């Protein structure tokens, strides 16, 4: 079939993708990752190694999500064939990483540092991620519109695609 435009239900994950880097940057600033305070606080706790590792894991995941979401925005806009599978990976990671992060925090941090009110928000976000993945993973795997929209393949260099010439 011919290439379809980005439309219909596909507009919703497109909006989500565009908002993802913005929200991640807001979270990084709001959660204090960019302030010296959060890093200096590590030395004041007995389990500072675990606190540092948990924070570095969280920060690293957020930076990777930021880079990954920008890559997905580019692939989405270029209608690349690689996009549907990478969206499945993205939605899967949106479920797995917060669960792993929550497990690490609750297993490693001293009791006085665990914010159970924040845990409730995180659990709500995990449930939202599971619902989102439950909707969008099947959509990107089986939707005819997805198959007809993301049809552009990566073209290697012009030399690599030309037939070999003699002499």
């Amino acid at each position: 079939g011919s290439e379809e435009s980005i439309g219909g239900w596909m507009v919703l994950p497109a909006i989500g993708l565009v908002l993802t880097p913005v929200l991640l940057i807001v979270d990084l600033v709001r959660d204090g990752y960019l302030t010296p305070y959060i890093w200096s606080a590590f030395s004041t706790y007995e389990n500072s190694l675990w606190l540092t590792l948990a924070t570095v894991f969280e920060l690293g995941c957020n930076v990777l999500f930021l880079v990954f979401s920008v890559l997905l925005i580019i692939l989405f806009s270029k209608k690349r064939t690689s996009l549907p599978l990478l969206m499945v990976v993205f939605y899967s990671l949106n479920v797995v990483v917060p669960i792993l992060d929550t497990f690490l925090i609750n297993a490693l941090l001293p009791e006085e540092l665990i914010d159970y009110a924040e845990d409730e928000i995180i659990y709500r976000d995990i449930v939202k991620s599971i619902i989102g993945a439950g909707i969008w993973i099947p959509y990107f795997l089986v939707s005819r519109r997805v198959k007809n929209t993301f049809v552009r393949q990566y073209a290697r260099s012009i030399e690599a695609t030309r037939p070999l010439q003699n002499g």
Side-chain angles (χ1 to χ4, degrees), residues 1 13 17 19 57 59 71 80 89 99 112 120 143 158 166:
L17 269 182
L19 289 176
F57 174 78
L59 180 61
L71 171 68
R80 297 298 279 279
V89 171
I99 291 171
E112 70 271 11
E120 222 174 279
S143 163
I158 294 170
N166 293 332

Side-chain angles (χ1 to χ4, degrees), residues 11 27 36 44 53 65 67 72 102 106 124 126 161:
V11 170
D27 281 350
T44 62
L53 289 175
F65 268 116
V67 171
L72 290 175
T102 303
N106 288 322
R124 199 172 326 131
I126 290 170
T161 56

Side-chain angles (χ1 to χ4, degrees), residues 13-154:
I15 292 168
L17 269 182
V18 170
L19 289 176
T20 297
V22 174
L23 295 173
L24 282 169
I25 290 168
V26 167
D27 281 350
L28 287 172
V29 171
R30 186 196 64 213
D31 294 343
Y33 287 107
L34 307 177
T35 64
Y37 167 76
I38 196 167
W39 301 100
S40 66
F42 297 146
S43 59
T44 62
Y45 293 102
E46 268 180 51
N47 296 341
S48 64
L49 173 65
W50 297 117
L51 180 59
T52 304
L53 289 175
T55 305
V56 168
F57 174 78
E58 233 173 63
L59 180 61
C61 286
N62 281 327
V63 169
L64 289 174
F65 268 116
L66 183 66
V67 171
F68 192 30
S69 63
V70 170
L71 171 68
L72 290 175
I73 291 166
I74 293 166
L75 295 175
F76 203 103
S77 66
K78 292 181 179 272
K79 300 181 182 178
R80 297 298 279 279
T81 54
S82 56
L83 187 274
L85 179 61
L86 290 174
M87 288 298 287
V88 169
V89 171
F90 181 73
Y91 285 116
S92 299
L93 288 173
N94 270 320
V95 172
V96 172
V97 170
I99 291 171
L100 186 60
D101 185 42
T102 303
F103 172 77
L104 280 174
I105 286 170
N106 288 322
L108 301 176
L109 291 190
E111 184 72 25
E112 70 271 11
L113 290 183
I114 296 173
D115 183 351
Y116 291 104
E118 192 176 306
D119 269 4
E120 222 174 279
I121 295 166
I122 292 167
Y123 295 143
R124 199 172 326 131
D125 288 346
I126 290 170
V127 169
K128 282 189 219 171
S129 295
I130 291 169
I131 292 168
I135 293 167
W136 296 115
I137 289 175
Y139 178 77
F140 277 96
L141 289 175
V142 302
S143 163
R144 183 176 288 131
R145 180 169 206 125
V146 168
K147 283 178 183 27
N148 292 333
T149 301
F150 300 99
V151 296
R152 296 184 189 158
Q153 291 186 325
Y154 175 72

